[in-house]
Amino acid sequence: MNLKKTPLLISFFIILSSAWTLGNEPKNADKTETVKVIISGQTNMPQQAITVVWREGLTALTALQQAATVSTHPVGNYVFVNTINDIKSERGVTAWYYTVNDLPTGTLAINFPVKPGDVINWIFKEDVCSPR
């Protein structure tokens, strides 16, 4: 083999392998999938919007727990949000409700899986579900 051509061939293969690697990177390699958690409701409370990294198994409740300081309370087989960022619900008076993409889910937040791009809106308002 001609030794003068060896460096040229090595350079060619390095460039070729680099070009092949660049073209075969995963399409979402640098795109992180997220959901947005919005917390609002009281007139003296400014609306907060927090971006949370989405992962398989993320629910409306676990997304909230990543975005804010949250306390919950179980009632039988149910888990309810009691407090978000020190704003506490009062049974029969006020409560935390949520929607996903501006739609009610009809499902407890702990059981509602969210998808990348979802917007979860937590709203503090009059408790219309509990007896007074």
Side-chain angles (χ1 to χ4, degrees):
M1 177 179 233
N2 185 344
L3 292 178
K4 291 180 181 179
K5 292 183 180 180
T6 302
L8 183 62
L9 283 173
I10 291 172
S11 297
F12 174 75
F13 285 114
I14 290 172
I15 292 170
L16 184 63
S17 66
S18 296
W20 183 82
T21 302
L22 289 173
N24 288 309
E25 292 176 358
K27 293 190 188 304
N28 291 332
D30 61 345
K31 183 181 177 193
T32 302
E33 296 180 307
T34 61
V35 298
K36 184 180 286 188
V37 177
I38 298 173
I39 302 168
S40 61
Q42 287 188 319
T43 50
N44 62 344
M45 182 180 97
Q47 181 176 347
Q48 301 170 5
I50 303 99
T51 300
V52 173
V53 175
W54 179 86
R55 68 182 183 334
E56 192 69 39
L58 190 70
T59 67
L61 178 59
T62 54
L64 174 64
Q65 290 170 325
Q66 289 182 35
T69 303
V70 178
S71 69
T72 60
H73 68 278
V75 178
N77 293 328
Y78 304 101
V79 176
F80 295 96
V81 172
N82 191 44
T83 306
I84 299 176
N85 292 340
D86 296 323
I87 299 175
K88 185 175 169 91
S89 60
E90 184 179 343
R91 185 180 169 105
V93 179
T94 55
W96 285 102
Y97 292 91
Y98 81 101
T99 62
V100 176
N101 302 324
D102 292 324
L103 298 172
T105 65
T107 303
L108 292 172
I110 195 170
N111 297 327
F112 191 85
V114 294
K115 301 180 296 293
D118 279 349
V119 176
I120 308 150
N121 195 351
W122 285 90
I123 308 146
F124 189 71
K125 62 182 188 175
E126 180 183 357
D127 183 355
V128 296
C129 293
S130 301
R132 293 186 185 253

